[in-house]
Amino acid sequence: MFGYYLDLAWRSLRRTPVLTALMVIAIGLGIGASMTMLTVLHVMTDDPLPGRSAHLYTPRIDPLPLAYKQGDDSPDPADNLTWPDAMALLKAHRATRQAAMAGGSLMVRPARAGLQPFNANGRYATADFFAMFGVPFEQGQGWSAADDEARAHVVVLGSALARKLFGDAGGLGRTVRLEDNDYRVVGIAGDWAPKPMFYADATGSQYSDDDQFFLPLSVAVDLDLSVNGNNSGWGRDEANSKTNASTSWLQFWMQLDTPAQVAAYRQFLVDYSAQQKALGRFERPPTNARLYSLMGWLAHENLVPNDVRLQLWLALGFLLVCMVNIVALLLAKFLRRSGEISVRRALGAQRRDIFLQLGVESAVIGVAGGVLGLAIAQLGLWSVRQRPDDYAQLAQMDVPMLLGTFVLAIVASVLAGLLPALRVCRVAPALQLKAL
Amino acid sequence: MRILRQIRPILSALRSHKTAVTLLMLEIALTMAVLGNLVFIVYGTMQRSHMATGVAESQIGWIQSIGVLGQDNPGTGAENIAVLRNAPGVLDAAYGSPPFVGKETNPIFPDAARSRPVAHAYVVQGSQHMSTTLGLRIVQGRDFNDGDLPDLMDVFMKKTDTPLPALMTQALAQRLYPDGKALERILYDGRYAYRVIGIIDHLRSEVTGRANDDDALLTEYRIGAQDLGGGYLIRSRPGQLPQALKAAAAALQKANPGHVENKVHTMAELRENYFKSDLAAGRMLVAIIAILLVVTALGVSGLASFWVQQRRRQIGMRRALGATRGDILNYFQAENFLIVSGGVLLGVFFAYALNLFLMHRFELAHLPAHYLLAGALALWLLGQLAVLGPALRAAAVPPAVATRSV
């Protein structure tokens, strides 16, 4: 039956090529615009670390004084941790793995002749970083907790930086000069750049940055290396801004494998805050402490800029206009065939059959519109990639979005066909037959 | 009058096509809602991209001269300013950064307790000659004079508690001191105290569209023998900016062999860069506007063709009974006008509803009524254009059709 309906649909559409083309173009344009923006939103809110993200969590504790007021446009200092808090969580060792980290930009001074000094972005982290996030290694490995403790001058290089400095040979065991210190290369990381860079401070460009080197956090504190991102202080002590208790600048991530572990850690954070409050360091309620899952944290950070959301809404509004348009055109098209349909009814076809037949016809338009929409979405994504925004380069369609395009196109066209089909099913065959 | 007399039959004819008419009106209404808001957003962006910052943009260039670690550099801030001022074509120079470069608002407090901010304003700091280099217009009070300026080190190390002399924009002055007596008033941000010595007409550090774009304080400090890396500003003679900026950058580099000049830009380039992303998105929205109009026109025209075809016999009868081609043409045009008018009325509600939603979620401004009027006119015109083809075809139906297959 389905094959027969397909055949009928094909014949019917071929009879009115202009009207069919109009409908396909309308649905194609609506789908194309919507899918462009949906794809942008999709890549921006996608899981940056599939497979691992479900077990990754980040704490948020609130060490701010009661009187602290956040500026309108300024980031929340409590999104980051202070050095004492990060070290306390690290030493408590309540999670399977845990690491504290911060981003930094250092001047690389290549030993190779002909290469000028340049700045590179990287990360200061504690030892668990690599195993917890599953960073692949081309050569060597990360450093150990003992290296952290010893403030060892070791570095893990990203593959691009390693190649730039040492050519294809790698450079494991060689020395790199960053700012005014030498570091021994203990590992070369493979291609690893989660997008967005969820573990970085939210004030950076998380869609376009990547880490080119990794240094032990203890070394960065020891040498007072420069730190990127939101570095907020609220205390009066002007002492070392990295280690004091009223400057937040660190990110902290942990791996928790079971729901019981998650619940226990949540409680631990509240208890820790209560204890700090009892000591007089924290002023705000301990229940302000939160534990975010990776995806929950990305939602909390709200990385998608407002103009992208606005454009998505407008594109969806555009799709709605296109759909209403198709409803009107399908109504015209179906009503025009009242006679033919009445003949089928008179020959024994039930309303359900007619409804199904017209539904198939709408779906055929949807498939054709989906093909056109896909082409238009590719054009739209190409134009998004020309934008100067930091997420622009990510705007590529993946398989789920590709299939989604067709699903959306077919659903939209079948929905649009619903009302006209119902209307035509109500036509009384007898009246129409008389008029033939 | 003829058209008026035609309205009644049109309405009764439309009554038997309720679904199609409702759909068409809905389409017009939705188009108007999306169109009105889109045009509003795009026009807002375009307007913003041309909004003046209050500085002499066509004459200002910016040179970022940064020290390389471990390199000794003989140049000092005061000398650098002198070097720049002596460059050919340069009128004035200062150490500081122009609008669009790394600007953030600071909370402004009325008292030293700093408990409740009364405004969030841009605090612009620069060396001696900053206000004259930017070409700011003083409308009340006075500009800085040499005796005013605190020393850079005193300011940076916060060794001085005396309020820093500051110029304030008119917009901020009116916001903070509605009595009009802003001069000599003292106010505070998170770090310093300021004393208002003069009022300038405009200084927009950013053009975001927010109400506080033009809220700014400008202070100057004196730089002397420090080796200062960072941004230097020049103001050229009118029309000589490209040459003057090039000459100034070369002179500054010569005086500072230990610095690298990463960025040398005219204000026009900074502005272009600042609005690049917005304008790129705007272009995409313009494309959507165009497509939207085409889609709606095609829809209207498609449905009109259907109606013409459906009523061929009736049209033939009317022609046979004496109606002219013009009457038939008018009929379809009037019908289209009525439907579009219904859609436009509905569209006003839809447009405001969408605008309210966008205002709520995206801090958009209120949609002014004239956008709706323009939208209505556009849709009326669009409807007439879209129906013209089918209506002409209807007018061409020969009266003989009436006699066939009755």
Side-chain angles (χ1 to χ4, degrees):
Chain A
M1 218 49 194
F2 185 70
Y4 176 56
Y5 288 155
L6 269 183
D7 185 45
L8 279 183
W10 179 241
R11 282 160 191 272
S12 148
L13 294 176
R14 263 203 345 213
R15 256 203 314 272
T16 51
V18 178
L19 204 61
T20 305
L22 279 186
M23 289 190 285
V24 170
I25 289 173
I27 196 110
L29 288 171
I31 295 291
S34 306
M35 288 312 291
T36 301
M37 291 323 295
L38 280 172
T39 303
V40 170
L41 193 72
H42 170 73
V43 295
M44 294 186 83
T45 54
D46 204 13
D47 188 342
L49 218 55
R52 281 184 187 268
S53 57
H55 300 298
L56 293 176
Y57 291 83
T58 187
R60 182 185 185 278
I61 46 188
D62 196 346
L64 297 173
L66 276 176
Y68 184 86
K69 276 194 192 63
Q70 191 186 336
D72 283 347
D73 298 326
S74 42
D76 185 359
D79 277 352
N80 291 329
L81 295 186
T82 64
W83 173 261
D85 291 328
M87 288 304 114
L89 296 191
L90 207 59
K91 295 211 173 87
H93 237 280
R94 298 290 181 103
T96 314
R97 292 182 174 118
Q98 53 253 297
M101 62 205 75
S105 176
L106 296 180
M107 183 168 285
V108 183
R109 298 157 168 276
R112 227 164 116 177
L115 210 52
Q116 288 295 310
F118 57 93
N119 274 315
N121 289 324
R123 197 131 312 260
Y124 315 127
T126 56
D128 273 358
F129 182 94
F130 303 100
M132 179 170 68
F133 289 154
V135 181
F137 277 90
E138 277 180 8
Q139 291 180 17
Q141 56 187 351
W143 58 83
S144 65
D147 289 328
D148 274 337
E149 202 63 43
R151 298 166 188 192
H153 283 205
V154 291
V155 65
V156 169
L157 296 181
S159 54
L161 182 58
R163 215 156 289 138
K164 186 166 177 181
L165 291 176
F166 301 111
D168 289 333
L172 193 65
R174 309 258 308 254
T175 302
V176 177
R177 193 166 179 81
L178 302 171
E179 301 285 349
D180 299 324
N181 290 280
D182 286 332
Y183 300 86
R184 187 166 50 86
V185 179
V186 294
I188 313 264
D191 281 335
W192 186 77
K195 296 283 157 62
M197 204 185 205
F198 62 92
Y199 58 83
D201 178 79
T203 51
S205 338
Q206 299 197 332
Y207 290 102
S208 53
D209 285 352
D210 54 359
D211 285 327
Q212 300 174 55
F213 65 83
F214 303 88
L215 285 183
L217 183 63
S218 53
V219 174
V221 171
D222 203 24
L223 300 175
D224 199 16
L225 299 178
S226 79
V227 170
N228 294 340
N230 175 19
N231 196 325
S232 311
W234 54 87
R236 297 261 170 233
D237 48 348
E238 303 271 316
N240 186 338
S241 71
K242 278 200 174 66
T243 51
N244 76 33
S246 50
T247 303
S248 69
W249 58 286
L250 288 155
Q251 293 79 48
F252 194 94
W253 286 86
M254 69 192 86
Q255 179 184 340
L256 298 169
D257 294 324
T258 63
Q261 253 187 320
V262 175
Y265 209 100
R266 214 161 249 148
Q267 189 55 45
F268 166 63
L269 285 178
V270 175
D271 292 346
Y272 174 78
S273 303
Q275 178 212 349
Q276 293 297 313
K277 195 174 178 188
L279 289 173
R281 218 192 109 210
F282 287 8
E283 296 179 5
R284 301 192 177 190
T287 45
N288 276 9
R290 296 269 181 285
L291 186 64
Y292 287 96
S293 66
L294 195 160
M295 295 314 280
W297 176 251
L298 291 181
H300 166 78
E301 283 193 321
N302 195 15
L303 294 177
V304 180
N306 261 346
D307 60 336
V308 169
R309 289 184 194 278
L310 177 68
Q311 286 157 32
L312 174 66
W313 280 107
L314 292 170
L316 289 175
F318 175 59
L319 176 63
L320 188 65
V321 174
C322 291
M323 276 179 66
V324 174
N325 193 356
I326 294 159
V327 175
L329 293 177
L330 277 177
L331 186 71
K333 188 165 170 43
F334 290 171
L335 278 176
R336 197 185 290 187
R337 281 159 53 208
S338 297
E340 170 203 323
I341 286 163
S342 300
V343 172
R344 279 205 68 209
R345 287 289 309 278
L347 290 175
Q350 290 184 313
R351 282 194 174 160
R352 205 177 45 213
D353 300 320
I354 304 293
F355 194 69
L356 206 61
Q357 180 202 336
L358 298 178
V360 169
E361 196 170 324
S362 313
V364 169
I365 294 173
V367 172
V371 174
L372 181 66
L374 199 61
I376 292 172
Q378 296 299 346
L379 196 71
L381 288 171
W382 173 82
S383 84
V384 170
R385 285 197 291 276
Q386 310 306 310
R387 291 189 194 175
D389 303 289
D390 81 313
Y391 58 81
Q393 287 318 309
L394 294 177
Q396 300 270 10
M397 209 174 249
D398 55 6
V399 176
M401 292 313 278
L402 199 89
L403 297 177
T405 308
F406 283 98
V407 172
L408 186 64
I410 294 173
V411 167
S413 61
V414 169
L415 270 180
L418 219 53
L419 179 89
L422 275 174
R423 176 80 178 69
V424 174
C425 285
R426 284 214 323 265
V427 165
L431 269 175
Q432 289 294 325
L433 287 173
K434 256 194 250 167
L436 272 182
Chain B
M1 276 325 276
R2 282 175 67 115
I3 290 193
L4 273 185
R5 232 181 304 139
Q6 274 188 349
I7 285 182
R8 195 195 278 274
I10 292 176
L11 286 178
S12 41
L14 288 182
R15 215 164 288 146
S16 53
H17 295 281
K18 279 197 201 83
T19 328
V21 171
T22 314
L23 283 172
L24 213 50
M25 278 172 34
L26 200 62
E27 188 183 343
I28 299 285
L30 285 172
T31 303
M32 180 151 155
V34 176
L35 188 73
N37 282 286
L38 270 178
V39 171
F40 181 50
I41 291 165
V42 171
Y43 186 67
T45 307
M46 276 165 45
Q47 225 176 11
R48 251 180 344 105
S49 73
H50 289 116
M51 180 165 271
T53 50
V55 309
E57 284 191 38
S58 61
Q59 292 169 261
I60 294 176
W62 182 60
I63 305 165
Q64 199 185 44
S65 173
I66 299 180
V68 176
L69 245 141
Q71 297 256 22
D72 287 329
N73 186 51
T76 70
E79 279 168 23
N80 285 344
I81 291 179
V83 163
L84 289 172
R85 291 183 69 160
N86 286 332
V90 174
L91 280 178
D92 215 339
Y95 175 80
S97 63
F100 301 127
V101 176
K103 291 294 195 290
E104 276 183 5
T105 56
N106 286 4
I108 301 291
F109 305 92
D111 48 38
R114 297 180 167 88
S115 54
R116 256 198 62 231
V118 286
H120 290 267
Y122 295 92
V123 177
V124 181
Q125 293 190 321
S127 72
Q128 58 267 37
H129 302 299
M130 181 76 169
S131 78
T132 46
T133 303
L134 289 176
L136 300 173
R137 284 202 16 230
I138 304 210
V139 292
Q140 203 189 338
R142 60 175 181 85
D143 200 350
F144 301 99
N145 54 39
D146 281 351
D148 283 337
L149 302 188
D151 189 76
L152 163 79
M153 293 322 276
D154 291 348
V155 174
F156 273 20
M157 308 305 284
K158 210 175 177 303
K159 279 186 191 150
T160 167
D161 274 336
T162 43
L164 309 174
L167 298 178
M168 180 185 265
T169 55
Q170 238 169 349
L172 184 60
Q174 275 158 13
R175 187 186 303 260
L176 295 183
Y177 312 112
D179 59 2
K181 292 177 188 144
L183 290 181
E184 296 304 318
R185 300 287 272 262
I186 308 285
L187 64 164
Y188 303 81
D189 68 1
R191 201 171 148 88
Y192 304 107
Y194 302 93
R195 181 166 54 85
V196 181
I197 61 164
I199 308 289
I200 47 183
D201 62 348
H202 294 293
L203 175 56
R204 293 190 179 86
S205 297
E206 280 191 289
V207 185
T208 62
R210 282 195 285 269
N212 65 347
D213 281 353
D214 201 11
D215 289 357
L217 279 173
L218 178 104
T219 63
E220 285 184 7
Y221 43 72
R222 187 177 317 99
I223 61 173
Q226 304 89 5
D227 169 19
L228 270 183
Y232 286 86
L233 285 167
I234 62 148
R235 182 148 74 96
S236 76
R237 290 176 200 288
Q240 296 183 11
L241 183 58
Q243 310 89 297
L245 183 59
K246 218 169 148 195
L252 189 64
Q253 181 65 75
K254 202 169 153 221
N256 297 271
H259 283 197
V260 286
E261 290 176 358
N262 279 331
K263 294 173 182 163
V264 180
H265 292 300
T266 63
M267 271 300 285
E269 288 164 355
L270 294 173
R271 171 178 281 271
E272 190 190 318
N273 219 15
Y274 181 83
F275 284 108
K276 218 178 194 171
S277 166
D278 281 354
L279 290 177
R283 274 194 291 279
M284 188 154 147
L285 294 183
V286 168
I288 288 194
I289 290 174
I291 297 169
L292 183 66
L293 288 175
V294 171
V295 165
T296 306
L298 293 182
V300 170
S301 156
L303 209 61
S305 313
F306 167 65
W307 273 337
V308 169
Q309 202 169 22
Q310 209 184 26
R311 299 180 198 162
R312 268 174 79 82
R313 222 182 302 158
Q314 286 88 336
I315 296 167
M317 283 183 205
R318 279 200 64 193
R319 289 296 314 276
L321 291 174
T324 61
R325 280 169 196 248
D327 289 334
I328 305 293
L329 193 67
N330 281 345
Y331 177 90
F332 281 97
Q333 284 175 331
E335 183 186 73
N336 178 274
F337 182 80
L338 285 179
I339 294 173
V340 173
S341 301
V344 162
L345 283 182
L346 195 61
V348 172
F349 289 103
F350 281 19
Y352 271 123
L354 182 60
N355 181 234
L356 278 180
F357 169 75
L358 295 177
M359 271 167 73
H360 178 69
R361 285 204 55 158
F362 304 105
E363 302 175 12
L364 222 64
H366 210 294
L367 185 66
H370 59 263
Y371 279 85
L372 294 177
L373 197 67
L377 284 175
L379 284 171
W380 268 313
L381 194 69
L382 188 81
Q384 290 300 315
L385 282 177
V387 86
L388 196 62
L392 282 173
R393 236 173 302 140
V397 171
V401 168
T403 61
R404 279 182 216 147
S405 67
V406 178

